[in-house]
């Protein structure tokens, strides 16, 4: 019984000398790529409206989301889409065609950003030549449709 009392006293004595050590915050690494799949973009022939949609997955995170836009007013050409959230609001995106240079049509570009670890944000873009978005004739009407690869990786993140 004396041994138990002595051990209890030592434990209690030791417990009173424990000091708090600050826990360091875990640094979350910035992603190095965005995996984009199912990219599609088109306007409606014989009507008004545009649709742009794609999925984004960020490797080494649980983030996988759909980004989409539609309107009922575009005729023939795809609209510029200002920065907007995807289904997961930590991911935002925008779409536009760069200004044309003499003798050429401007490239199309999608920009994707991801907010992580509080206030940190990383973003990148993918661009296509205008030839991937041909203006096609459907009888008396015209429409623009994306004709490139639906899956790509954005690696120019900063």
């Amino acid at each position: 019984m004396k041994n138990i009392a002595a051990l209890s006293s030592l434990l209690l004595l030791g417990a009173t000398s424990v000091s708090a050590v600050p826990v360091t915050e875990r640094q979350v690494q910035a992603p190095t790529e965005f995996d984009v799949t199912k990219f599609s973009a088109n306007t409606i022939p014989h009507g008004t409206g545009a649709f742009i949609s794609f999925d984004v997955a960020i490797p080494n995170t649980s983030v996988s989301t759909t980004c989409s836009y539609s309107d009922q007013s575009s005729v023939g050409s795809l609209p510029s889409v200002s920065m907007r959230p995807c289904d997961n609001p930590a991911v935002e995106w925008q779409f536009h065609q760069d200004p044309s240079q003499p003798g050429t049509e401007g490239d199309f570009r999608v920009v994707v950003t991801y907010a992580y670890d509080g206030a940190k944000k990383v973003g990148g873009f993918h661009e296509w030549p205008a030839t991937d978005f041909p203006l096609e004739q459907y009888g008396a009407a015209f429409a623009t449709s994306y004709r490139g690869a639906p899956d790509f990786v954005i690696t120019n993140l900063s």
Side-chain angles (χ1 to χ4, degrees), residues 61-133:
T61 72
S62 61
V63 176
S64 181
T65 189
T66 298
C67 308
S68 60
Y69 167 87
S70 66
D71 70 33
Q72 307 303 309
S73 59
S74 295
V75 178
S77 62
L78 291 166
S80 290
V81 179
S82 59
M83 191 64 78
R84 63 183 47 244
C86 298
D87 290 348
N88 177 334
V91 180
E92 294 182 316
W93 70 285
Q94 69 178 1
F95 178 83
H96 68 272
Q97 185 175 16
D98 293 337
S100 297
Q101 299 299 317
T104 66
E105 289 187 60
D107 290 340
F108 285 85
R109 181 184 312 246
V110 65
V111 176
V112 179
T113 66
Y114 171 57
Y116 69 99
D117 196 26
K120 296 178 184 173
K121 192 177 257 193
V122 64
F125 65 91
H126 183 79
E127 63 185 359
W128 303 266
T131 54
D132 281 355
F133 296 84

Side-chain angles (χ1 to χ4, degrees), residues 3 5 7 21 28 33-34 51 58 60 70 76 82 90 95 106 110 119 126 128 132 134 158:
N3 287 340
L7 185 56
V21 177
V28 176
E33 68 181 47
F34 299 150
F51 302 93
I58 302 175
N60 302 316
S70 66
S82 59
F95 178 83
V110 65
H126 183 79
W128 303 266
D132 281 355
S158 61

Side-chain angles (χ1 to χ4, degrees), residues 33-40 53-59 65 67 110 112 126 128 149-154:
E33 68 181 47
F34 299 150
D35 296 338
V36 177
T37 57
K38 302 179 191 172
F39 184 89
S40 66
S53 179
F54 57 96
D55 293 338
V56 176
I58 302 175
T65 189
C67 308
V110 65
V112 179
H126 183 79
W128 303 266
D151 303 340
F152 52 89
V153 177
I154 297 175

